[in-house]
């Protein structure tokens, strides 16, 4: 048996050597990548919440997205459906796909086009983008997706953003032209402050000798250009009483979107409710960025896959509605090569081939995220 005192003496004389840190040669203390590559915009870790994203790395992909889904060449309408695809040799985890989509949502909604070779003053760029992160076990139907659109808009302050746009658009209608010209001469921050909240907008109306009722009447007239009977849509009816999506969500809509008995109405509230409100605010397009679509597809049953894609086709692109008539919604799905062949079967079976042939969408209506290389990094 070994003498434990001698063992301790020798151990004290020769301390344990620390292993070489493989990250030290890069000037790092540890692995800079999170152990779980799951995007979460509310996380504190910049590696997970997307703030680590550097737009220079995806400059080509961002430009292709804008040119394909917003400012198309020759004035052609943007496609109704498109994909963000992972390029060859790009892993499904840690590819930066979610950070890319989230950054695009922020960039579109802030009208931030710095560094892109496009016309920043083009009205075609006035769009609203919503980046959805559906849970594959929870969001499997079209109604689930619609509910997630509204919830995501509330989480990211997009209702307040739309309210500001609508107030400004209606003010242009009801105010004397010379007053609109005078206020338009102010800098962007000052103009935004006038329409930022209900309080600031009411003050503006009083200062300009206008009334809130004049604002609501103009809003109703504008929306009736796209929805002849707005009072038949409960969401739109409630909205037109107050003229604010933010207040409507907090005071009326939030609980109703969680009510399972109202699930059948959610699609109507979207295509004939939210869509014409966005149009009244001057938006040319709504872009729904559906992240992790491949996971939804995998967890769906055969019947659910057909119903999901068929309902998407009918409600957004075929059945008469404010959204369908103007092809207002562009749906961008993430596409992993592993589901491409199987997706093609359902795509054709439910009739989406007539809206956009899948092979055409994949080849000419998709943004491919390329693998990182030493030169690009």
């Amino acid at each position: 048996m070994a003498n434990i005192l001698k063992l301790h003496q020798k151990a004290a004389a020769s301390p344990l050597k620390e292993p070489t840190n493989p990250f030290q040669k890069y000037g790092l203390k540890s692995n800079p990548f999170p152990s779980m590559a799951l995007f979460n915009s509310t996380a504190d870790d910049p590696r997970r919440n997307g703030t680590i994203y550097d737009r220079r790395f995806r400059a080509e992909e961002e430009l292709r997205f804008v040119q394909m889904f917003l400012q198309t060449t020759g004035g052609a309408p943007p496609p109704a459906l498109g994909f963000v695809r992972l390029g060859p040799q790009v892993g499904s985890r840690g590819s930066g796909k979610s950070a890319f989509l989230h950054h695009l949502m922020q960039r579109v909604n802030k009208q931030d086009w710095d560094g892109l070779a496009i016309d920043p003053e083009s009205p075609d760029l006035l769009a609203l983008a919503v980046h959805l992160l559906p849970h594959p076990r929870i969001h499997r139907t079209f109604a689930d997706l619609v509910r997630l659109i509204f919830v995501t808009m509330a989480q990211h302050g997009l209702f307040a953003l739309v309210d500001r746009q609508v107030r400004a658009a209606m003010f242009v209608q009801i105010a004397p032209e010379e007053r609109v010209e005078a206020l338009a001469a102010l800098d962007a921050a000052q103009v935004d402050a006038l329409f930022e909240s209900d309080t600031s907008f009411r003050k503006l109306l009083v200062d300009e000798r206008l009334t809130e009722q004049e604002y609501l009447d103009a809003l109703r007239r504008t929306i009736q250009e796209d929805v002849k009977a707005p009072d038949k849509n409960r969401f739109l009816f409630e909205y037109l009483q107050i003229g604010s999506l933010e207040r409507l969500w907090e005071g009326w809509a939030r609980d109703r979107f969680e009510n399972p008995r109202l699930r059948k109405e959610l699609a109507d509230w979207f295509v004939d409710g939210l869509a014409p409100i966005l149009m009244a605010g001057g938006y040319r397009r709504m872009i729904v960025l559906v992240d992790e679509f491949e996971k939804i597809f995998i967890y769906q049953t055969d019947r659910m896959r057909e119903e999901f894609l068929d309902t998407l086709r009918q409600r957004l692109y075929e059945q008469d509605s404010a959204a369908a008539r103007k092809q207002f919604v562009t749906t961008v799905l993430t596409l992993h090569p592993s589901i491409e062949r199987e997706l093609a079967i359902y795509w054709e079976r439910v009739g989406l081939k007539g809206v956009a042939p899948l092979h055409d969408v994949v080849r000419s209506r998709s943004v491919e995220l390329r693998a990182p290389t030493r030169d690009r990094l």
Side-chain angles (χ1 to χ4, degrees):
M1 179 181 292
N3 186 319
I4 60 173
L5 290 178
K6 289 184 178 181
L7 283 175
H8 282 293
Q9 285 178 322
K10 290 183 178 180
S14 58
L16 186 67
K17 295 181 179 179
E18 293 187 9
T20 303
N21 183 347
F23 305 103
Q24 196 169 23
K25 62 182 177 181
Y26 301 109
L28 302 171
K29 293 182 178 180
S30 61
N31 188 343
F33 299 100
S35 57
M36 292 293 288
L38 298 175
F39 177 84
N40 181 354
S41 63
T42 61
D44 294 330
D45 190 336
R47 299 171 302 173
R48 293 191 60 200
N49 62 22
T51 56
I52 198 173
Y53 179 89
D54 190 323
R55 65 176 59 172
R56 294 172 297 176
F57 180 66
R58 293 291 186 197
E60 292 180 23
E61 289 93 333
E62 287 190 15
L63 179 60
R64 177 167 171 79
F65 182 93
V66 171
Q67 292 176 335
M68 182 174 299
F69 298 114
L70 290 168
Q71 198 175 71
T72 59
T73 57
L81 284 161
F83 289 108
V84 168
R85 304 171 63 231
L86 297 179
Q89 301 176 7
V90 178
S92 60
R93 287 287 186 197
S95 62
K97 167 176 54 66
S98 296
F100 172 73
L101 294 174
H102 191 75
H103 178 73
L104 279 175
M105 176 184 75
Q106 294 177 318
R107 197 161 196 185
V108 170
N109 294 337
K110 292 178 181 179
Q111 295 290 289
D112 172 16
W113 311 116
D114 288 349
L116 296 180
I118 59 174
D119 176 12
E121 302 296 327
S122 170
D124 292 334
L125 295 175
L126 185 54
L128 186 82
V130 184
H131 172 215
L132 305 182
L133 272 168
H135 191 292
R137 295 185 183 274
I138 298 174
H139 305 107
R140 301 190 195 181
T141 69
F142 184 75
D144 294 332
L145 199 70
V146 169
R147 179 162 53 87
L148 185 60
I149 288 172
F150 282 83
V151 171
T152 303
M153 288 183 66
Q155 289 175 341
H156 291 286
L158 299 186
F159 288 146
L161 176 65
V162 175
D163 283 346
R164 187 180 67 191
Q165 293 287 351
V166 171
R167 293 181 191 119
M170 295 306 104
F171 181 79
V172 170
Q173 288 191 28
I174 63 178
E177 186 175 350
E178 62 272 15
R179 289 302 302 149
V180 174
E181 289 288 342
L183 294 176
L186 301 174
D187 65 49
Q190 290 176 301
V191 173
D192 283 349
L194 297 174
F195 303 98
E196 190 69 34
S197 66
D198 284 332
T199 302
S200 62
F201 184 54
R202 287 194 187 103
K203 182 179 184 304
L204 174 64
L205 291 176
V206 171
D207 291 345
E208 299 297 328
R209 298 182 179 182
L210 298 168
T211 67
E212 190 170 359
Q213 190 58 51
E214 287 178 288
Y215 160 69
L216 293 174
D217 290 343
L219 184 54
R220 173 176 286 273
R221 287 193 303 271
T222 303
I223 285 178
Q224 281 181 322
E225 294 176 7
D226 295 299
V227 182
K228 299 304 180 185
D231 292 345
K232 292 183 178 180
N233 184 297
R234 281 206 283 177
F235 181 85
L236 197 52
F237 171 79
E238 296 292 339
Y239 170 78
L240 288 172
Q241 310 309 305
I242 57 177
S244 168
L245 279 172
E246 189 174 33
R247 281 195 288 147
L248 179 65
W249 178 258
E250 294 298 332
W252 181 85
R254 184 202 298 268
D255 293 339
R256 285 167 174 80
F257 272 82
E258 299 299 328
N259 188 337
R261 291 181 297 176
L262 299 176
R263 283 175 59 86
K264 292 183 178 180
E265 295 189 45
L266 299 189
D268 289 330
W269 293 358
F270 179 48
V271 298
D272 270 329
L274 180 61
I277 293 170
L278 296 181
M279 293 175 194
Y283 288 101
R284 296 293 182 92
R285 180 157 300 274
M286 181 178 191
I287 301 177
V288 180
L289 305 166
V290 185
D291 205 347
E292 308 283 15
F293 173 66
E294 62 275 10
K295 291 184 182 178
I296 299 176
F297 187 80
I298 290 171
Y299 277 96
Q300 287 173 325
T301 64
D302 286 347
R303 181 175 179 179
M304 291 175 72
R305 289 172 181 173
E306 286 194 21
E307 289 181 350
F308 177 86
L309 293 173
D310 190 44
T311 307
L312 183 145
R313 171 183 60 81
Q314 291 187 43
R315 296 315 309 261
L316 296 186
Y317 307 116
E318 291 187 0
Q319 288 184 6
D320 185 54
S321 68
R325 281 193 297 274
K326 294 189 176 180
Q327 196 181 301
F328 184 71
V329 179
T330 288
T331 307
V332 180
L333 309 172
T334 57
L335 179 64
H336 192 274
S338 62
I339 70 165
E340 197 169 310
R341 182 176 299 179
E342 192 172 3
L343 175 62
I345 298 173
Y346 295 93
W347 197 271
E348 185 166 354
R349 189 182 298 172
V350 303
L352 273 170
K353 183 178 180 180
V355 178
L358 185 61
H359 71 276
D360 180 42
V361 177
V362 170
R363 292 178 183 175
S364 62
R365 307 187 196 187
S366 65
V367 176
E368 183 178 285
L369 299 185
R370 298 181 297 159
T373 63
R374 180 175 302 203
D375 291 339
R376 297 189 75 200
L377 291 171

